[in-house]
Amino acid sequence: MFLTKMQINPRRRGAQQLLSSPQAMHAAVLAGFPDARPTEDGRILWRLDTYATHRVLLFIASPDKPDLTHLVEQAGWPTTQAWQTAAYDGLLGSLRAGQRWQFRLTANPVRSGRREEWTETKPLGHVTVAQQQQWLLDRAERLGFRIAPSATGAGEPDLTVVDRSVRRFGRGGASVTISMATFDGHLDIEDVDAMRRSLTFGIGRAKAYGCGLLTLSRSGGGG
C-alpha cells in the first residue's frame, strides 16, 4: 500500500471544477492508476483536507503508486510542486494494540430509514454533530479501535467534527446527496487486524466520493 499527498491550487479553474464535484474528482483520482480495482491489500481511497481558503490537500491511499501528472497539470502547481508518495506498509506493520494515534477521517455517517413515500429502507444521512459523532463511536470497536478520552478529564471522548457538508450531484440521470463529516481526535488501537483493514479498505459508505479514508499521525495534521 502507498499513501500519497498532493496540494491542490483552488484558484485554478480546473481545480474549482474538481472541488465542486466529488464524481469528477473520483474520476480524476482513478485516472492516475492503470488498474483501479481493489486488491487483497486494499482499495483506492481519497480525501480532501481544507486547511485554509487557498490550502487544500488531496490524500490518496492505494495498493499501487499513482501517476498524478494529469491532476497536477489541471489542478495543482505544475511548475513548483508535484506530489509525494510514501510506502504505507511500514506504518501498517508497526501497529500494535494499545498504541494511541491522532487521526483524521472524512466519512458519510448514515442510518437506515424509510420515508413515507418509500417502499423500502434507504440510507439517510445523520445531520447533527452529536448524531455524527455517535455514528463513529458506535462503530469504533469493530473497526479496531476506541476513541480515546478527552484530556479535559470530563469523561468525554477526544472526538471533534471539524467540517460538515452536504454534497449534491447528478449521476446517471439521478440526483445523489451525500452528507459528509470530517472527524479529528485520538484513538487507541484494540484489534490490529481490524485496524489495518479500516486503513486500507476504508470506513463507511460513499468511498468513491471522498469518504472513508482514515489517516494516522503521531503529532499534528491528519496524514
Side-chain angles (χ1 to χ4, degrees):
M1 290 291 291
F2 297 89
L3 187 64
T4 299
K5 179 173 69 174
M6 175 189 152
Q7 186 166 349
I8 302 292
N9 181 353
R11 293 186 179 93
R12 299 186 64 186
R13 181 174 298 177
Q16 292 167 8
Q17 292 172 344
L18 294 177
L19 293 174
S20 66
S21 171
Q23 188 174 25
M25 181 63 81
H26 170 64
V29 169
L30 294 193
F33 299 88
D35 187 346
R37 292 174 295 182
T39 71
E40 62 180 14
D41 296 321
R43 60 169 291 165
I44 296 170
L45 301 162
W46 63 273
R47 187 183 76 222
L48 289 167
D49 286 359
T50 301
Y51 295 98
T53 304
H54 301 300
R55 179 169 168 76
V56 180
L57 297 180
L58 170 66
F59 289 92
I60 304 172
S62 56
D64 300 305
K65 287 184 177 181
D67 181 347
L68 301 182
T69 303
H70 64 295
L71 254 177
V72 174
E73 292 174 349
Q74 179 182 358
W77 302 81
T79 63
T80 58
Q81 296 185 50
W83 65 90
Q84 300 171 330
T85 297
Y88 209 14
D89 295 332
L91 182 143
L92 295 173
S94 72
L95 299 178
R96 299 290 184 271
Q99 289 177 342
R100 178 165 294 181
W101 292 86
Q102 184 174 349
F103 75 91
R104 173 165 284 198
L105 165 70
T106 294
N108 172 219
V110 297
R111 60 182 175 84
S112 293
R114 180 185 297 172
R115 292 179 177 164
E116 189 172 328
E117 67 274 19
W118 293 352
T119 59
E120 57 186 23
T121 60
K122 297 180 181 181
L124 296 172
H126 287 301
V127 294
T128 71
V129 169
Q131 289 172 340
Q132 291 168 343
Q133 288 179 318
Q134 194 61 50
W135 175 88
L136 183 57
L137 291 168
D138 289 344
R139 286 155 180 76
E141 183 177 357
R142 66 175 178 265
L143 294 170
F145 58 88
R146 71 178 183 92
I147 303 299
S150 171
T152 62
E156 297 294 321
D158 186 353
L159 178 64
T160 305
V161 176
V162 296
D163 189 33
R164 305 166 66 224
S165 64
V166 177
R167 310 299 302 273
R168 295 181 176 89
F169 55 95
R171 183 184 65 189
S175 177
V176 178
T177 301
I178 301 176
S179 297
M180 304 172 69
T182 298
F183 302 94
D184 274 0
H186 286 82
L187 60 79
D188 295 329
I189 298 177
E190 293 193 327
D191 182 329
V192 174
D193 289 339
M195 185 76 209
R196 289 193 185 114
R197 184 167 183 84
S198 295
L199 291 166
T200 55
F201 285 92
I203 293 172
R205 301 174 63 92
K207 297 184 183 74
Y209 302 118
C211 298
L213 175 56
L214 172 70
T215 51
L216 305 178
S217 175
R218 282 299 189 188
S219 61

